[in-house]
Each structure stands twice: as C-alpha cells, then as structure tokens.
Amino acid sequence: MTADLAALALGASESRYRRLFETAQDAILILDGNSGEIADGNPFVIDLLGYPLADLIGKHLWQIGLFRDIEESKAAFKRLKRDGYIRYEDLPLETRDGRRAEVEFVSNVYEVDGCTVIQCNIRDITARKSAENAARESTERFRFLAESMPQMVFTARPNGDVDYFNQQWTAFTGFTFEEIKDWRWTRFIHPEDLAETVHHWSHSLATGQPFELQHRFRRADGIHRWHLSRASPMRDTKGTITMWISSNTDIDDQKRTEAELSRLYKEAESLNRSKDDFLATISHELRTPITSILGWAELLTMTSLDEAMRRDGVDTILRSAHTQAKLIDDILDVSRMITGKLYLTIESVDVENVLRAALTALTPAANAKNIEISLNFQTDLADFGGDTVRLQQVFWNLLSNSLKFTPAGGRIDIRLVSPDAKSVVLEVEDTGVGISPEFLPYVFDRFAQQDSTKRRNHGGMGIGLSIVKQIVELHGGTVSAASDGDGRGATFTVCLPMTAVAASPIALQPSAPMSRAVRENAYAISAGTP
C-alpha cells in the first residue's frame, strides 16, 4: 500500500470513529493516559454533565462530579492503569446544576500512535434504577401485604412454577417453601381432587383464563379442609403474562353449613310430607269410631229397634268410644313425650298381674281372630318399683300390636321370666306378617309404618311402639324387636330392672336424641296437636 493510500485509509478510519464518537448515545470522555485529565468529550457528555466542553478540558473526573473526592478518583485511576479496565455498575453523579444521577461507568486504556489514551463511557441509568427501585418497592409492599393477610396467597411464573407462598401457607401445610415450590404443591392436595386441580390449572396456563376451583388441602395435622382457589394472570403492556397471583380462601365451615342447610331443607320437605301424612292418618283413625258412634246414635233414636239391636248399638258405641279415647290418649302421650311432660308415678308393681290385666282386655279380640295365645310365666316373680298404669299401657300396646299383625288362626307366645335377681324380661312372639330388615331399625319411631298397604290394612297411627319404647326407657329398661323378615313373624323383648325405686314422680326429658323419622313426626304431631 502506498503512503497516499495509507493516509487516505487512516483519515477514513478517523472520520468513522469521529462520527461514532459524536453520535453515540453514551456520554464519552477521552482522558490523557498519563495525567488522567480530560482531553475530549462527545456532545452527549456535555448534555449529561451540564458543562461546556471548554470547561471540561484539563479537569479530573472527581472535579466534574463523577467521584466523591480526589482520593477516590486517584484510587480508580490507579486501578485502571494497573488492570487496563474498570467498571462501576452504579456510580453516583452530581451534575453542574446540582442534579443527582446514577450512571454506569466503563473505562478502558489503549494506545494511539504510541500515546496512552483512556476512554470513559458513561451511561445514565437513573430512569432504569428508578424503575427497578419502584418495582422492588412494589414487590416489597406486595410481600408485606401478603404476609399480613390472614388469607393464603401464592404467586407463580407464567409456566405455573410457584415462586412464592406466604407464611399462612407454610403454617397451614407444615411444609417449607422449598418443599412445595414449583409444582411440588400437589403433595397437599386431596387425592380425590388432584387430577381435577392439575387439569384446571394447566388449562388456565395454556389459555390465560383465570383459575377458580373448590378443592381440599391437607392441613399440617392431616385434616383436609375445603378451599376456594382463584388465580389471575398479570400482563405487561403487550398483553404477555408476566406472573400469576392466587388467593386461597378456607370455605370448609361454609361448605359444612351449606350441607347442613341442604339437609335441613330436605328434612323440612320430608317433615311437610310427614305432617300431611299424619293428618290424613289421624283424620281417618278418628273418623272411623266417631262415624260408628254417630250412626248408632241416630239408629237408637228410632223406636222401631228391638231390644237386641239396641244392646248391639250401645255395645258398639261403647267400643268405639273406648277406641276414640285410646287414640286421643296416645296422641296426648306423644305430645307429653315431646315436651318432657310425661311422668311416672312409682309404686310397688306386681308385673304378672299387670300383664294379665292387659291380656284380659285383649282376649275378646284374640278369640274373634281365633288366635292361640300361649303363656309361660315364671312363678314367684318379685315386685319392683314402677308405674302400674304405664306398664299396663306397655303390655297392652305390645300385645295389641301382635294381635293386629297376626292373621286369623295364628299364634302368640308370651313369656315372662326373671333371668337374674336384677331384671325381669317379657317376650311377645307372634306368627304375624313380620318386619323387613330395612324397616327393623325404625320400628319404634313415632308414626313409622312398614308400608302404606299394611297401614291401610291394619289401621293405627304408628305411635304405639314408640310409646312402649319411651315408657320402658323411662323405667330404666330396654325394648328390642327381632324378625326374620316379611311373613316370618316378630319377637318383641322388654327388659325391666328389678330395682326398688322410691315413690316419686319421674319426668321424661325432651332432649333425648331422636332418629330422623322420629324427629320429623314428632314435630308433625306438635303442629297438629292443640
């Protein structure tokens, strides 16, 4: 290459460098490599520092606000000479007019025509640092808010990796953040809810749609509780998802309340049906004897009846009146049981005589159906404390129940024994229609009927056995029923304590637990009884 061409190339190179130097967006200073004094600067450095170029020439960096003092400037210059390069990511700068800025400072040493030259690139990062500080403060405020809330909160990256759980989460689950971060949070989801949770979360991540789901989380003590989880995407100005923010609200108590309200609503519907059914039944049962009484009363007013027919009429009226009185007494007894106003009057009871009295009252009905009654009474049964009238009511209800459901020509076995000195046991076994296994647990519930067909065929309101149970339990005894199923008869067993009881009234407590059927029908009779 000739000297002219070399000079031309050098001039072109210097021209390109100068053009870049003048148009660079970074502030550039050229320093003398030996003294460290400013030798040149581009227009941007003049705008940044506020000094005209003439005022910069010959100055040291610390004199134009780049270092705090001469000592710090000398130390930086010494390190630059040694290493040939220095960089400050965040260097404070004070401009000529007193404005404070933060700059990124990079300085290199190189040789130009045998001379040592230092180039300093200065980039104003004040706006960026302000944005970073604002973002950091925003993050800190969010963390403070999230940690102060009683609610569980987490955040996740756009791909669904959880990068933050607040302290409520770790306290609830008993896990550290490291144990449940990213996708390891699936370990505390209820196994039955896990597949649905992952499916919905993955769908939200893929579509950007908000996430909402009710599912169960395992608490540190192993108990699972229902939570309502919601997650919303946070987007930048371009609409790109930058993170997910989620809240998790414990709704377990609310779910239980809703379930209880649903149950109560269903029970209320069943109660209304039971009430209507009871009113229909009681209307039928009370109307039957009163119809007979009214009919015969009208006939007796006629003078054309002979004496035999008049006696039949009077007998029928008496039987119907007794039936009516029995129905009303039973209804009143149930009402007393519900309100806790059923009392026992304790006295010495000869249980065999009481049972025989009840049996005597039912003998005509047994003879009418040709039902054989077998008696097996243990001799020398001791007397015990009890209510004679109420125990006769128990025995009468048990025997009349067997008579009602035993077809003509059937058999009833009655056994009265004292297996030990502490109790007396009555068993009533019949060859009647029996009790289905499904209905057996409810046989002593008020108004319980095995089915509507039997109720219509045999009559009654379904309260006799419930009265038996309440009176027996009030005496401190137990009553049970057994049956091999429909058409195979039934056996009722009453066990009463042979305990001497002081003569004092005892009241049934209304707060005793009741089955659902008992509860429904108890309220029904309360609503229908004056």
Side-chain angles (χ1 to χ4, degrees):
M1 180 180 295
T2 65
D4 292 339
L5 288 175
L8 182 62
L10 178 61
S13 176
E14 290 179 350
S15 177
R16 285 195 300 272
Y17 172 80
R18 194 69 193 178
R19 187 162 56 247
L20 291 173
F21 179 77
E22 298 290 343
T23 60
Q25 294 301 304
D26 286 349
I28 301 175
L29 289 172
I30 303 298
L31 310 182
D32 181 276
N34 295 317
S35 66
E37 295 176 348
I38 298 173
D40 197 4
N42 69 347
F44 197 85
V45 81
I46 296 171
D47 293 340
L48 174 64
L49 299 176
Y51 293 97
L53 183 59
D55 289 351
L56 293 175
I57 301 299
K59 297 284 180 54
H60 291 277
L61 295 179
W62 66 271
Q63 292 177 307
I64 62 171
L66 266 172
F67 289 94
R68 287 178 299 181
D69 54 34
I70 187 172
E71 295 301 326
E72 187 177 37
S73 179
K74 286 181 178 180
F77 186 72
K78 183 178 180 179
R79 185 157 57 91
L80 176 63
K81 294 283 286 183
R82 184 191 67 211
D83 300 334
Y85 171 85
I86 59 172
R87 181 173 184 270
Y88 293 89
E89 293 184 359
D90 185 2
L91 186 68
L93 170 70
E94 184 175 352
T95 65
R96 183 182 184 183
D97 59 4
R99 183 177 67 88
R100 294 185 179 276
E102 294 178 89
V103 297
E104 182 181 8
F105 181 87
V106 178
S107 187
N108 294 276
V109 179
Y110 56 93
E111 297 288 330
V112 176
D113 295 332
C115 297
T116 302
V117 177
I118 299 172
Q119 179 175 319
C120 302
N121 287 59
I122 307 169
R123 177 172 296 176
D124 189 347
I125 60 172
T126 304
R128 189 187 78 190
K129 293 294 290 186
S130 178
E132 290 176 353
N133 290 335
R136 183 172 60 254
E137 290 175 2
S138 177
T139 300
E140 290 174 355
R141 284 196 299 269
F142 170 79
R143 292 291 174 90
F144 178 79
L145 178 63
E147 294 298 332
S148 302
M149 292 174 63
Q151 198 171 23
M152 295 190 294
V153 175
F154 74 84
T155 61
R157 301 184 183 93
N159 66 351
D161 289 346
V162 175
D163 56 6
Y164 168 72
F165 282 106
N166 69 347
Q167 62 180 352
Q168 282 74 19
W169 259 117
T170 54
F172 179 87
T173 63
F175 293 118
T176 65
F177 170 73
E178 293 298 325
E179 291 175 314
I180 54 177
K181 70 176 184 177
D182 298 332
W183 284 74
R184 291 194 285 274
W185 49 264
T186 54
R187 66 194 303 175
F188 57 72
I189 301 293
H190 193 288
E192 295 177 2
D193 302 335
L194 181 56
E196 184 182 15
T197 300
V198 172
H199 171 74
H200 279 75
W201 182 229
S202 299
H203 176 75
S204 292
L205 295 175
T207 62
Q209 296 178 357
F211 172 89
E212 182 171 326
L213 186 66
Q214 294 184 12
H215 44 178
R216 289 162 287 181
F217 298 152
R218 187 177 69 251
R219 201 166 57 187
D221 59 4
I223 301 297
H224 285 88
R225 292 184 65 84
W226 282 98
H227 284 73
L228 171 62
S229 296
R230 290 192 176 102
S232 299
M234 181 177 289
R235 302 176 186 270
D236 59 19
T237 55
K238 297 179 180 179
T240 303
I241 295 175
T242 58
M243 67 183 298
W244 290 83
I245 299 178
S246 175
S247 64
N248 312 91
T249 306
D250 190 322
I251 59 170
D252 198 79
D253 293 337
Q254 176 185 333
K255 293 279 285 187
R256 294 177 186 275
T257 300
E258 289 174 354
E260 179 64 13
L261 289 175
S262 177
R263 184 187 67 80
L264 291 175
Y265 177 75
K266 293 178 180 178
E267 287 195 1
E269 288 185 325
S270 179
L271 172 59
N272 285 332
R273 290 192 298 269
S274 298
K275 179 180 177 181
D276 292 342
D277 192 34
F278 168 72
L279 291 176
T281 301
I282 196 173
S283 296
H284 170 78
E285 294 297 328
L286 293 176
R287 189 182 297 113
T288 300
I290 200 65
T291 300
S292 178
I293 292 171
L294 291 173
W296 274 105
E298 290 180 2
L299 287 175
L300 290 175
T301 61
M302 300 171 59
T303 57
S304 58
L305 295 179
D306 57 27
E307 187 59 29
M309 186 169 289
R310 285 180 178 276
R311 283 198 303 272
D312 288 342
V314 171
D315 290 342
T316 302
I317 289 173
L318 287 173
R319 285 196 303 272
S320 297
H322 285 306
T323 301
Q324 187 90 330
K326 180 64 171 64
L327 290 173
I328 293 172
D329 284 343
D330 284 349
I331 293 171
L332 293 176
D333 278 343
V334 170
S335 180
R336 294 185 188 104
M337 292 174 186
I338 295 170
T339 57
K341 296 179 180 179
L342 180 66
Y343 292 87
L344 298 185
T345 300
I346 305 303
E347 58 187 355
S348 180
V349 176
D350 184 335
V351 65
E352 181 177 342
N353 283 342
V354 174
L355 178 56
R356 288 188 182 276
L359 182 60
T360 299
L362 293 169
T363 297
N367 293 337
K369 294 180 67 174
N370 194 28
I371 292 176
E372 180 184 354
I373 297 180
S374 170
L375 303 178
N376 182 6
F377 292 176
Q378 179 179 328
T379 59
D380 300 327
L381 288 173
D383 293 353
F384 65 92
D387 188 314
T388 301
V389 175
R390 291 300 182 185
L391 287 176
Q392 185 170 341
Q393 187 179 5
V394 167
F395 301 152
W396 190 94
N397 279 331
L398 283 177
L399 296 174
S400 63
N401 183 76
S402 289
L403 283 173
K404 183 191 300 184
F405 291 103
T406 300
R411 178 184 175 89
I412 298 176
D413 292 324
I414 303 172
R415 294 178 288 275
L416 183 63
V417 297
S418 179
D420 52 51
K422 296 181 180 180
S423 61
V424 60
V425 176
L426 168 68
E427 288 186 352
V428 179
E429 182 179 0
D430 61 56
T431 59
V433 298
I435 306 170
S436 67
E438 296 79 13
F439 182 71
L440 196 57
Y442 310 105
V443 71
F444 292 103
D445 287 354
R446 295 187 187 106
F447 318 113
Q449 298 280 0
Q450 187 160 199
D451 58 58
S452 58
T453 303
K454 285 183 174 61
R455 182 178 62 198
R456 295 307 177 210
N457 288 342
H458 300 283
M461 295 181 295
I463 59 178
L465 291 180
S466 70
I467 293 174
V468 167
K469 183 174 185 294
Q470 297 290 347
I471 294 176
V472 168
E473 291 181 351
L474 194 54
H475 276 84
T478 60
V479 60
S480 61
S483 176
D484 292 331
D486 289 336
R488 307 188 68 176
T491 301
F492 290 86
T493 303
V494 173
C495 181
L496 295 167
M498 294 281 288
T499 304
V501 181
S504 60
I506 299 175
L508 176 68
Q509 297 300 317
S511 58
M514 296 183 289
S515 70
R516 187 178 68 180
V518 170
R519 195 163 52 246
E520 292 170 355
N521 293 293
Y523 293 139
I525 192 170
S526 293
T529 302

